[in-house]
Amino acid sequence: MLTNNKFRTLIVALAATTLMACNTGPSEEELAAEANRVAEAEKVQMEQAQAEKAQAEKARVESARAEQMKRARDQAAELKASLMNQNTVYFDFDRANVKSDFLPVLKKHAEYLVANPGQSIVIEGHCDQRGTPEYNIALGERRAKSVESYFRNAGVSSSQITVVSYGEEKPAVMGASEYAMAQNRRGVVVYE
């Protein structure tokens, strides 16, 4: 049998062994795994934060681009409306050459058309009622072609331009006064 002293020593040794086993911390591998787990979690959080920041920046850039495009469309629409109000070139009697007074107007149209290659126009040639219908159709065409020639020389694509002559068929002002006839001798730029 075990003596009391030996029994006590055995119990104390068993208790000390148990305490030592309980007091031992995590192993080196466990510490390294925990450190890796924490580092990986921080890395994922940082990547998410960077992705959110990049997404916010992309949204900001797209919003700015959309706003800029809207402003450009609005400016183009305003310019087009202005051009549509200044779309007539008047000619002298029996002439088809563009007067220098109308070159600034045609220049604005040409600049708009060059900047907007998808925009097409019809150039209408008109005459007053003097002359035969056949002659006036030919003169109206020469007037429209004169405007077309200016645009082509300014860099407007021929695919954007259509020419039509109405001769004396569509007067702007009815009557036989010099004013009425002068208003009917014209070339008109019509946007499609």
Side-chain angles (χ1 to χ4, degrees):
M1 284 234 143
L2 287 173
T3 63
N4 250 350
N5 270 345
K6 285 184 180 179
F7 184 68
R8 279 188 193 160
T9 306
L10 181 61
I11 289 181
V12 170
L14 184 60
T17 304
T18 304
L19 282 174
M20 285 178 56
C22 289
N23 280 341
T24 60
S27 67
E28 291 283 328
E29 292 93 20
E30 292 172 329
L31 288 174
E34 181 63 18
N36 286 341
R37 186 192 66 74
V38 169
E40 187 64 31
E42 289 174 353
K43 180 181 174 186
V44 167
Q45 285 178 342
M46 188 179 349
E47 288 173 351
Q48 286 175 343
Q50 288 174 344
E52 289 171 2
K53 184 178 178 182
Q55 191 173 18
E57 179 64 16
K58 181 180 176 184
R60 187 194 66 75
V61 167
E62 287 177 0
S63 175
R65 185 179 303 135
E67 182 63 30
Q68 184 179 17
M69 289 176 65
K70 182 184 180 305
R71 275 195 308 270
R73 277 193 307 269
D74 291 347
Q75 288 174 345
E78 288 176 19
L79 178 58
K80 185 176 177 180
S82 169
L83 291 174
M84 290 172 72
N85 289 331
Q86 299 178 355
N87 65 340
T88 305
V89 175
Y90 295 99
F91 294 90
D92 289 330
F93 174 69
D94 204 27
R95 298 278 183 241
N97 55 324
V98 176
K99 294 190 239 179
S100 61
D101 299 353
F102 296 102
L103 294 179
V105 171
L106 292 179
K107 182 179 178 187
K108 288 179 186 177
H109 284 280
E111 289 170 350
Y112 177 80
L113 291 166
V114 168
N116 296 283
Q119 179 67 61
S120 59
I121 58 168
V122 175
I123 304 171
E124 299 176 347
H126 298 274
C127 300
D128 60 30
Q129 69 268 23
R130 294 179 282 192
T132 65
E134 295 81 17
Y135 180 80
N136 285 338
I137 289 288
L139 180 58
E141 184 172 348
R142 285 196 311 273
R143 288 174 174 165
K145 292 250 184 218
S146 179
V147 174
E148 176 192 31
S149 176
Y150 178 88
F151 285 152
R152 300 268 321 272
N153 289 334
V156 178
S157 170
S158 60
S159 64
Q160 292 177 267
I161 304 170
T162 304
V163 172
V164 64
S165 174
Y166 290 109
E168 62 189 69
E169 297 298 317
K170 291 188 173 187
V173 177
M174 299 301 290
S177 69
E178 182 53 40
Y179 172 79
M181 287 189 275
Q183 294 297 303
N184 292 332
R185 295 189 302 261
R186 68 196 190 283
V188 181
V189 178
V190 179
Y191 285 84
E192 295 185 320

